[in-house]
Amino acid sequence: MKVSLEQLNPRATVLSILLLQAITPANGHYGFPFVEVAGVMSERWEYIRPTATFGPNFDYAGPPSMCGPNGTLPLFPIKTLKVEAGSTIVFGASGQKAWPESDSREPFDPKWSIYHDGPATAYLSKAPGELAEYDGSGEWFKIAAVGASDGIQWDVRESAQVNKLSFTIPKTTPPGKYLMRAEHLNILTSYKGTQMYANCAHLEITGAGGGTPGPTTKFPGAFDAKDPGIWLPNALDHPYQPSDRLKNWQGAGPKVWTG
Ligand SMILES: [Cu+2]
């Protein structure tokens, strides 16, 4: 049955309007629906598991902590990007363009940049079979943490106008099909705390392998909201002198495995 606004009581109408305002794309935040392939940005959702929304994710302990809302399995079929271990994977950022965001096919906009300040990380998890059927319930290892290389300000911040996150696949990563998770955090002292933005790509990693990735963790399970790698309000008080704590930021979850 279709319900028009007139059929709803006045209180419900006000509530509906407030809800509509809360989900309007203009208020949307961001995600990483693109990857760069041989220097060219992919299509939206070509290699990335679609997510319904780019709204801030506070569910550090639940399934959305893995690949974003609705990212436990692909919402529709996507391609797998073949890459050699040792190469760099570039995730392209975008603001929300439609509701649900998974319906959007807007191309990469190089003028758009991440407008929140905070650290970034990347993780990999090997699928036991096909990526299309992999729910990410296996082991995950961290391959990168991007903090504040000057020890003062996050590398990814509004004033730096960053629109891509680049991560190197460790050279000795065992070959296979992997989910690759890219995350950016928006460090806040207010409201519900740190906001998480995460998306996952489908990768087929080639190469000689030889490494034993670890330590590993699980999603969900790697994080909680008060983890000292996530709840970082003091990191907004930029030090006058470089701080090793910001410079050497490793994030929540396991240590970075470099191969
Ligand atoms: Cu935001």
Side-chain angles (χ1 to χ4, degrees):
M1 189 186 76
K2 227 177 153 186
V3 182
S4 74
L5 284 181
E6 290 80 2
Q7 284 173 277
L8 298 163
N9 71 46
R11 198 170 152 266
T13 303
V14 170
L15 189 65
S16 308
I17 290 166
L18 287 173
L19 282 171
L20 282 172
Q21 283 174 343
I23 61 168
T24 188
N27 289 342
H29 299 248
Y30 55 96
F32 303 95
F34 304 100
V35 278
E36 215 169 69
V37 184
V40 178
M41 205 50 92
S42 72
E43 285 169 31
R44 204 176 190 88
W45 306 127
E46 191 175 353
Y47 300 97
I48 304 285
R49 284 193 177 181
T51 45
T53 172
F54 282 168
N57 185 358
F58 298 101
D59 191 359
Y60 297 96
S65 66
M66 187 177 72
C67 296
N70 312 96
T72 306
L73 286 169
L75 286 173
F76 50 78
I78 60 166
K79 292 185 198 165
T80 298
L81 180 63
K82 205 167 176 175
V83 289
E84 205 181 333
S87 56
T88 297
I89 307 294
V90 179
F91 283 73
S94 172
Q96 179 132 13
K97 296 294 181 205
W99 191 270
E101 168 55 36
S102 51
D103 283 354
S104 174
R105 294 296 174 272
E106 287 276 308
F108 181 70
D109 174 3
K111 295 187 299 298
W112 192 93
S113 60
I114 297 171
Y115 54 89
H116 290 321
D117 299 9
T121 54
Y123 288 76
L124 288 173
S125 178
K126 195 174 182 189
E130 291 307 311
L131 281 164
E133 285 136 36
Y134 181 44
D135 63 3
S137 56
E139 300 295 326
W140 290 80
F141 56 98
K142 191 195 281 175
I143 59 165
V146 180
S149 47
D150 64 0
I152 295 175
Q153 286 186 295
W154 297 112
D155 291 2
V156 183
R157 61 181 188 276
E158 184 172 23
S159 61
Q161 297 190 301
V162 175
N163 59 11
K164 298 173 186 176
L165 298 181
S166 300
F167 305 106
T168 300
I169 307 289
K171 189 109 194 158
T172 60
T173 302
K177 292 178 177 169
Y178 285 84
L179 265 181
M180 180 172 177
R181 173 185 186 277
E183 170 201 271
H184 184 243
L185 299 179
N186 175 25
I187 307 299
L188 290 171
T189 54
S190 57
Y191 192 45
K192 291 195 252 177
T194 301
Q195 301 177 342
M196 178 171 53
Y197 300 92
N199 286 94
C200 292
H202 283 189
L203 299 187
E204 182 177 348
I205 298 176
T206 62
T212 307
T216 62
T217 190
K218 298 266 193 183
F219 284 102
F223 300 159
D224 84 66
K226 292 289 179 209
D227 194 299
I230 291 173
W231 176 242
L232 289 151
N234 296 336
L236 291 175
D237 307 329
H238 299 306
Y240 293 104
Q241 296 292 323
S243 143
D244 283 345
R245 191 172 154 263
L246 287 187
K247 194 170 183 162
N248 302 324
W249 185 89
Q250 290 282 299
K255 278 206 188 77
V256 172
W257 182 73
T258 54

Coordinates of all heavy atoms in Angstrom, one line a residue, residues 4-48:
S4 N 0.4 8.3 1.4 CA 0.9 9.7 1.1 C 1.0 10.4 2.4 O 0.6 10.0 3.5 CB -0.2 10.4 0.3 OG -1.3 10.7 1.0
L5 N 1.7 11.6 2.4 CA 2.0 12.3 3.6 C 0.7 12.8 4.2 O 0.5 12.8 5.4 CB 2.8 13.6 3.3 CG 4.3 13.3 3.0 CD1 5.0 14.6 2.7 CD2 5.0 12.6 4.2
E6 N -0.4 13.1 3.4 CA -1.7 13.5 3.9 C -2.3 12.5 4.8 O -3.1 12.8 5.7 CB -2.6 13.9 2.7 CG -2.3 15.1 2.0 CD -1.2 14.8 0.9 OE1 -0.7 13.7 0.8 OE2 -0.8 15.8 0.3
Q7 N -2.0 11.2 4.5 CA -2.7 10.2 5.3 C -2.0 10.0 6.7 O -2.6 9.4 7.6 CB -2.6 8.8 4.6 CG -3.6 8.7 3.4 CD -3.3 7.5 2.6 OE1 -2.4 7.4 1.8 NE2 -4.0 6.4 2.9
L8 N -0.9 10.6 6.8 CA -0.2 10.4 8.1 C -0.6 11.5 9.1 O -1.0 12.6 8.6 CB 1.3 10.5 7.9 CG 1.9 9.4 7.0 CD1 3.3 9.8 6.5 CD2 2.0 8.1 7.7
N9 N -0.5 11.3 10.3 CA -0.9 12.3 11.3 C 0.2 13.4 11.3 O 1.3 13.1 10.9 CB -1.2 11.7 12.7 CG 0.0 11.2 13.4 OD1 1.0 11.9 13.4 ND2 -0.1 10.0 13.9
P10 N -0.1 14.6 11.8 CA 0.8 15.7 11.7 C 2.2 15.4 12.3 O 3.2 15.8 11.8 CB 0.1 16.9 12.4 CG -1.3 16.5 12.4 CD -1.4 15.0 12.3
R11 N 2.1 14.7 13.4 CA 3.4 14.4 14.1 C 4.3 13.5 13.3 O 5.5 13.7 13.2 CB 3.1 13.8 15.5 CG 4.2 13.9 16.5 CD 3.8 13.5 17.9 NE 5.0 12.9 18.5 CZ 5.2 11.6 18.6 NH1 4.4 10.7 18.0 NH2 6.3 11.2 19.2
A12 N 3.6 12.5 12.7 CA 4.3 11.6 11.8 C 4.9 12.3 10.6 O 6.0 12.0 10.2 CB 3.4 10.4 11.4
T13 N 4.2 13.3 10.1 CA 4.6 14.0 8.9 C 5.9 14.8 9.3 O 6.9 14.8 8.5 CB 3.6 15.0 8.4 OG1 2.4 14.3 8.2 CG2 4.0 15.7 7.2
V14 N 5.9 15.5 10.4 CA 7.1 16.2 10.9 C 8.3 15.2 11.0 O 9.4 15.4 10.5 CB 6.9 16.9 12.2 CG1 8.2 17.4 12.8 CG2 5.9 18.0 12.0
L15 N 8.0 14.0 11.6 CA 9.0 13.0 11.7 C 9.6 12.6 10.4 O 10.8 12.5 10.2 CB 8.5 11.8 12.5 CG 9.5 10.8 13.0 CD1 10.4 11.4 14.0 CD2 8.8 9.6 13.6
S16 N 8.6 12.4 9.4 CA 9.0 11.9 8.1 C 9.9 12.9 7.4 O 10.9 12.6 6.8 CB 7.8 11.7 7.2 OG 6.9 10.9 7.8
I17 N 9.6 14.2 7.6 CA 10.4 15.3 7.0 C 11.8 15.3 7.6 O 12.8 15.4 6.9 CB 9.7 16.6 7.1 CG1 8.5 16.6 6.2 CG2 10.6 17.8 6.7 CD1 7.5 17.8 6.4
L18 N 11.9 15.1 8.9 CA 13.2 15.1 9.6 C 14.0 13.9 9.1 O 15.2 14.0 8.8 CB 13.0 15.0 11.1 CG 12.5 16.3 11.8 CD1 12.2 16.0 13.3 CD2 13.5 17.4 11.7
L19 N 13.3 12.8 8.9 CA 14.0 11.6 8.4 C 14.5 11.8 7.0 O 15.6 11.5 6.7 CB 13.1 10.3 8.5 CG 12.9 9.7 9.8 CD1 11.8 8.7 9.8 CD2 14.2 9.1 10.3
L20 N 13.7 12.4 6.2 CA 14.1 12.7 4.8 C 15.3 13.6 4.8 O 16.2 13.4 4.0 CB 13.0 13.4 4.0 CG 11.9 12.4 3.5 CD1 10.7 13.2 3.0 CD2 12.4 11.4 2.5
Q21 N 15.3 14.6 5.7 CA 16.5 15.5 5.8 C 17.7 14.8 6.2 O 18.8 15.0 5.7 CB 16.2 16.6 6.8 CG 15.3 17.7 6.2 CD 14.9 18.7 7.2 OE1 15.0 18.5 8.4 NE2 14.3 19.9 6.7
A22 N 17.5 13.8 7.1 CA 18.7 13.0 7.6 C 19.3 12.2 6.5 O 20.5 11.9 6.5 CB 18.3 12.2 8.8
I23 N 18.5 11.8 5.5 CA 19.1 10.8 4.5 C 19.3 11.5 3.1 O 19.6 10.8 2.2 CB 18.2 9.6 4.3 CG1 16.8 10.0 3.8 CG2 18.1 8.8 5.6 CD1 16.0 8.8 3.4
T24 N 19.1 12.8 3.0 CA 19.2 13.4 1.7 C 20.7 13.4 1.3 O 21.6 13.5 2.1 CB 18.7 14.9 1.8 OG1 18.7 15.4 0.5 CG2 19.5 15.8 2.7
P25 N 21.0 13.1 0.0 CA 22.4 12.9 -0.4 C 23.3 14.1 0.0 O 24.5 13.9 0.3 CB 22.3 12.8 -1.9 CG 20.9 12.2 -2.1 CD 20.1 12.8 -1.0
A26 N 22.7 15.3 0.0 CA 23.5 16.5 0.3 C 24.2 16.4 1.7 O 25.2 16.9 2.0 CB 22.7 17.8 0.2
N27 N 23.5 15.6 2.6 CA 24.0 15.5 3.9 C 24.9 14.2 4.0 O 25.4 13.9 5.1 CB 22.9 15.3 4.9 CG 22.2 16.7 5.1 OD1 22.7 17.7 4.8 ND2 21.0 16.7 5.7
G28 N 25.0 13.5 2.9 CA 25.8 12.2 2.9 C 27.2 12.5 3.2 O 27.7 13.7 3.0
H29 N 27.9 11.6 3.6 CA 29.3 11.8 3.9 C 30.1 11.2 2.8 O 30.0 11.6 1.7 CB 29.6 11.2 5.3 CG 28.8 11.9 6.4 ND1 29.4 12.7 7.3 CD2 27.5 11.9 6.6 CE1 28.4 13.2 8.1 NE2 27.3 12.8 7.7
Y30 N 30.9 10.1 3.0 CA 31.7 9.6 1.9 C 32.1 8.2 2.0 O 31.9 7.6 3.0 CB 33.0 10.5 1.7 CG 33.9 10.6 3.0 CD1 34.9 9.8 3.2 CD2 33.6 11.6 3.9 CE1 35.7 9.9 4.3 CE2 34.3 11.7 5.1 CZ 35.4 10.8 5.3 OH 36.1 10.9 6.4
G31 N 32.7 7.7 0.9 CA 33.2 6.3 0.9 C 34.2 6.2 -0.2 O 34.7 7.2 -0.8
F32 N 34.5 4.9 -0.5 CA 35.6 4.6 -1.5 C 35.0 3.7 -2.6 O 35.3 2.5 -2.5 CB 36.8 4.1 -0.8 CG 37.3 5.0 0.3 CD1 36.9 4.9 1.6 CD2 38.1 6.1 -0.1 CE1 37.3 5.8 2.6 CE2 38.5 7.0 0.9 CZ 38.1 6.8 2.2
P33 N 34.2 4.2 -3.5 CA 33.6 3.3 -4.5 C 34.4 3.0 -5.7 O 34.0 2.3 -6.6 CB 32.3 4.1 -4.9 CG 32.7 5.5 -4.7 CD 33.7 5.6 -3.5
F34 N 35.7 3.6 -5.7 CA 36.5 3.5 -6.9 C 37.9 2.9 -6.6 O 38.4 3.0 -5.5 CB 36.8 4.9 -7.5 CG 35.6 5.7 -7.9 CD1 35.1 6.7 -7.0 CD2 34.9 5.5 -9.1 CE1 34.0 7.5 -7.3 CE2 33.8 6.2 -9.4 CZ 33.3 7.2 -8.5
V35 N 38.5 2.2 -7.6 CA 39.9 1.9 -7.5 C 40.5 2.3 -8.8 O 39.9 2.2 -9.9 CB 40.2 0.4 -7.3 CG1 40.1 0.0 -5.8 CG2 39.4 -0.5 -8.1
E36 N 41.8 2.7 -8.8 CA 42.5 3.1 -10.0 C 43.1 1.8 -10.6 O 43.7 1.0 -9.9 CB 43.6 4.1 -9.6 CG 43.9 5.1 -10.6 CD 44.8 6.2 -10.0 OE1 46.0 5.9 -9.8 OE2 44.3 7.3 -9.7
V37 N 43.0 1.7 -11.9 CA 43.5 0.6 -12.6 C 44.4 1.1 -13.7 O 43.9 1.9 -14.6 CB 42.4 -0.3 -13.3 CG1 42.9 -1.5 -13.9 CG2 41.4 -0.7 -12.2
A38 N 45.7 0.8 -13.7 CA 46.7 1.3 -14.6 C 46.5 2.9 -14.8 O 46.5 3.4 -15.9 CB 46.6 0.6 -16.0
G39 N 46.4 3.6 -13.7 CA 46.3 5.0 -13.8 C 45.0 5.6 -14.1 O 44.8 6.8 -14.2
V40 N 44.0 4.8 -14.4 CA 42.7 5.2 -14.8 C 41.7 4.8 -13.7 O 41.7 3.7 -13.2 CB 42.2 4.6 -16.1 CG1 40.8 5.1 -16.5 CG2 43.2 5.0 -17.2
M41 N 40.9 5.8 -13.2 CA 39.9 5.5 -12.2 C 38.8 4.6 -12.7 O 38.3 4.8 -13.8 CB 39.3 6.8 -11.6 CG 38.8 6.6 -10.2 SD 40.0 5.9 -9.0 CE 40.8 7.3 -8.3
S42 N 38.5 3.5 -12.0 CA 37.4 2.6 -12.4 C 36.1 3.3 -12.4 O 35.9 4.4 -12.0 CB 37.3 1.4 -11.4 OG 36.8 1.9 -10.2
E43 N 35.1 2.5 -12.9 CA 33.7 3.0 -12.7 C 33.3 2.8 -11.2 O 33.9 2.1 -10.5 CB 32.7 2.2 -13.6 CG 32.8 2.5 -15.0 CD 32.1 1.5 -15.9 OE1 31.1 0.9 -15.4 OE2 32.6 1.3 -17.0
R44 N 32.2 3.6 -10.8 CA 31.7 3.4 -9.5 C 31.2 2.0 -9.3 O 30.5 1.5 -10.1 CB 30.6 4.4 -9.3 CG 30.3 4.9 -7.9 CD 29.2 5.9 -8.0 NE 29.0 6.6 -6.7 CZ 29.6 7.7 -6.3 NH1 30.5 8.2 -7.0 NH2 29.4 8.2 -5.1
W45 N 31.6 1.4 -8.2 CA 31.2 0.0 -7.8 C 31.7 -1.0 -8.8 O 31.1 -2.1 -8.9 CB 29.7 -0.1 -7.6 CG 29.1 0.9 -6.7 CD1 28.1 1.8 -7.0 CD2 29.5 1.2 -5.3 NE1 27.8 2.5 -5.8 CE2 28.6 2.2 -4.8 CE3 30.5 0.6 -4.5 CZ2 28.7 2.7 -3.5 CZ3 30.6 1.1 -3.2 CH2 29.7 2.2 -2.7
E46 N 32.7 -0.7 -9.6 CA 33.2 -1.8 -10.6 C 33.9 -2.9 -9.8 O 33.7 -4.1 -10.2 CB 34.1 -1.1 -11.6 CG 34.4 -2.0 -12.8 CD 35.2 -1.3 -13.9 OE1 35.4 0.0 -13.8 OE2 35.6 -1.9 -14.8
Y47 N 34.7 -2.5 -8.9 CA 35.5 -3.5 -8.1 C 35.3 -3.4 -6.6 O 35.9 -4.2 -5.8 CB 37.0 -3.3 -8.3 CG 37.5 -3.4 -9.8 CD1 37.6 -2.2 -10.6 CD2 37.7 -4.6 -10.3 CE1 38.0 -2.3 -11.9 CE2 38.1 -4.7 -11.7 CZ 38.3 -3.6 -12.4 OH 38.7 -3.7 -13.7
I48 N 34.4 -2.5 -6.2 CA 34.2 -2.3 -4.8 C 32.8 -2.8 -4.4 O 31.8 -2.5 -5.1 CB 34.2 -0.8 -4.4 CG1 35.6 -0.2 -4.8 CG2 33.9 -0.5 -2.9 CD1 36.7 -0.5 -4.0

